[in-house]
Amino acid sequence: MSFSRLTHLECGRCGAVHDSEQPQNLCLTCGSPLLARYDLAAVRASLSPADLARRGPDLWRYHELLPVRDPAHVTTLGEGMTPLLPMARYGERIGLPRLLMKDEGLIPTGSFKARGAAVGVSRAAELGVERLAMPTNGNAGAAWALYGARAGLAATVVMPVDAPEITRRECVASGTDLHLVDGLISDAGRMVGELVAASGGRVFDTSTLKEPYRIEGKKTMGIEIAEQLGWRQPDVILYPTGGGVGLIGIHKALNELRELGWIGGSPPRLVAVQAEGCAPIVRAFEAGERESRHWDGARTVAFGINVPKPLGDFLILEALAETSGTAVTVTDAELLAELREVAALEGAFVCPEGAAAFAAARKLRASGWIGPDEQAVVLNTGAGLKYPGTVPVDAPVLGVDAHLPPRARGGGGA
């Protein structure tokens, strides 16, 4: 049995076919992102959902639908198969008693970016790449730096100076060539582009959607959701959207599963959640446009979705249209309040981006767009521990001879 059923790369815009057996960036015809394609008939003939149950609990259980040819090139830290948790108390509070959370905060490197890094780094190493370079808002750079180190590849990472501090420490710990820029991820992207262009092919650009395999790692979230629900689909999936790779990947995964015959029925309605301070996808969606326009002055505490102009914007908007989905904004104040409420009711310290998706679920239930009996899945894309500054601490400092007040000893109310 073939480890991978990858056949070729296809442009997501013009459909041009590209060779999957050499390093590729954007479409040589129109400059758009490339998508990996598989021999799904061969997968269907050789693999069933029951076969997966006998495999290890990581994303490589789906290796036929991933691009790495030789298992010897798999670079892994145990990523995948994150829990799909019921959020009953919080769900009751907002009117969605069947609400679920896919918790990516428990994955290696502390965010869902590890999925894309695992597959992207593995395939890059297999194709002979020796140095990676990428701009990042923090978590992706940390993930690619650490997985690059695991694979023995060198890496250059450029991130905004106000990116989460822990992500730069992850890069430094891995020995990555790290640079900070006093600007946005788009400024970091320009610098990486210049480096790659001047390298004579010695540096490979792994920017979001400028290589085709990060999305393949991200799509495993969609496969896992279906498998964890017994090969059925929820009604709604809410995804915090910056570059949008996870949303595109989930949509791609569910389309592939449908073609395999493993799932049926209508697809989940996909929701792109953005911050009010950076919402190019929401603006384009509401205007009925097929692409977004650059968002000037982008700013939000949910740093991972602070992307002024996603390269794959047309793929995000296509996914929303094809699933009868929507796009919605939340304010920083709303998402920070939701972060605290989710933690207080469920004990889950989610990241600001995940909190934005919870705030969107509340809004969409209040408007009636999500019904009270529908099952919605919120993607929490990282650990709240990576953003300690989102929760200020104003606790009393006691002297060594002090005594706790009655409430702290159990004498107060709930």
Side-chain angles (χ1 to χ4, degrees):
M1 182 184 295
S2 297
F3 193 72
S4 172
R5 292 293 185 174
L6 177 70
T7 57
H8 63 281
L9 299 173
E10 177 182 284
C11 177
R13 189 187 298 272
C14 74
V17 173
H18 292 67
D19 183 5
S20 61
E21 299 313 301
Q22 59 181 327
Q24 299 278 10
N25 287 118
L26 298 175
C27 175
L28 299 175
T29 302
C30 72
S32 299
L34 299 176
L35 302 173
R37 299 303 186 195
Y38 300 85
D39 183 349
L40 295 179
V43 176
R44 184 167 54 247
S46 62
L47 183 69
S48 72
D51 296 324
L52 296 176
R54 294 186 286 273
R55 295 182 177 179
D58 59 36
L59 64 78
W60 297 101
R61 67 199 280 113
Y62 311 122
H63 58 76
E64 289 89 348
L65 297 172
L66 295 173
V68 178
R69 300 280 188 198
D70 183 347
H73 288 114
V74 167
T75 302
T76 181
L77 290 168
E79 60 288 333
M81 203 47 71
T82 55
L84 190 61
L85 299 170
M87 305 295 279
R89 293 173 67 190
Y90 174 82
E92 287 285 355
R93 176 72 58 88
I94 68 169
L96 289 173
R98 300 178 65 205
L99 184 68
L100 299 170
M101 174 179 68
K102 181 70 167 164
D103 191 3
E104 294 292 290
L106 302 180
I107 210 164
T109 79
S111 85
F112 74 137
K113 303 291 187 178
R115 292 181 185 266
V119 176
V121 167
S122 296
R123 186 60 173 157
E126 186 169 54
L127 295 176
V129 171
E130 295 182 355
R131 176 173 284 276
L132 314 169
M134 68 183 306
T136 178
N137 268 333
N139 278 315
W144 283 73
L146 289 161
Y147 277 84
R150 178 82 164 164
L153 305 185
T156 296
V157 170
V158 186
M159 69 173 68
V161 70
D162 52 354
E165 181 180 349
I166 185 59
T167 61
R168 74 180 71 166
R169 295 186 184 276
E170 289 174 290
C171 290
V172 171
S174 71
T176 292
D177 176 29
L178 174 66
H179 300 268
L180 305 177
V181 57
D182 188 13
L184 299 173
I185 190 173
S186 51
D187 302 304
R190 174 186 56 79
M191 295 177 184
V192 168
E194 292 171 353
L195 172 68
V196 171
S199 73
R202 295 186 301 276
V203 180
F204 184 64
D205 192 343
T206 58
S207 305
T208 302
L209 290 178
K210 286 189 178 180
E211 64 80 47
Y213 301 119
R214 181 191 304 208
I215 191 173
E216 297 304 290
K218 297 284 189 70
K219 82 177 183 186
T220 59
M221 293 186 293
I223 306 177
E224 285 180 18
I225 289 170
E227 183 177 8
Q228 289 170 317
L229 290 176
W231 300 107
R232 62 177 183 81
Q233 303 168 91
D235 299 295
V236 178
I237 297 177
L238 299 102
Y239 178 83
T241 304
V245 180
L247 187 146
I248 299 166
I250 289 170
H251 181 54
K252 183 176 187 288
L254 296 178
N255 282 341
E256 290 172 353
L257 294 181
R258 196 168 291 107
E259 189 169 342
L260 288 171
W262 293 3
I263 60 174
S266 299
R269 307 194 306 279
L270 298 178
V271 180
V273 181
Q274 298 200 296
E276 198 171 80
C278 183
I281 295 299
V282 176
R283 180 171 63 188
F285 178 83
E286 291 177 346
E289 297 169 347
R290 300 183 65 182
E291 296 182 12
S292 68
R293 290 173 283 117
H294 187 275
W295 188 278
D296 296 330
R299 189 164 188 82
T300 171
V301 296
F303 209 72
I305 56 177
N306 197 41
V307 180
K309 176 70 166 72
L311 180 63
D313 51 6
F314 68 100
L315 294 171
I316 299 168
L317 292 162
E318 283 178 10
L320 299 182
E322 290 176 8
T323 64
S324 301
T326 192
V328 62
T329 61
V330 299
T331 67
D332 280 2
E334 287 170 334
L335 72 87
L336 289 174
E338 223 65 31
L339 186 153
R340 299 282 291 270
E341 185 151 12
V342 170
L345 290 174
E346 299 289 355
F349 186 12
V350 302
C351 65
E353 297 81 10
F358 278 107
R362 181 191 290 271
K363 278 191 167 184
L364 292 174
R365 174 65 199 102
S367 71
W369 194 86
I370 303 178
D373 297 325
E374 290 192 295
Q375 186 169 63
V377 174
V378 166
L379 266 294
N380 174 47
T381 50
L385 294 174
K386 301 197 80 171
Y387 303 81
T390 58
V391 182
V393 176
D394 184 20
V397 178
L398 305 178
V400 294
D401 58 349
H403 300 282
L404 291 174
R407 180 179 178 128
R409 296 199 299 267

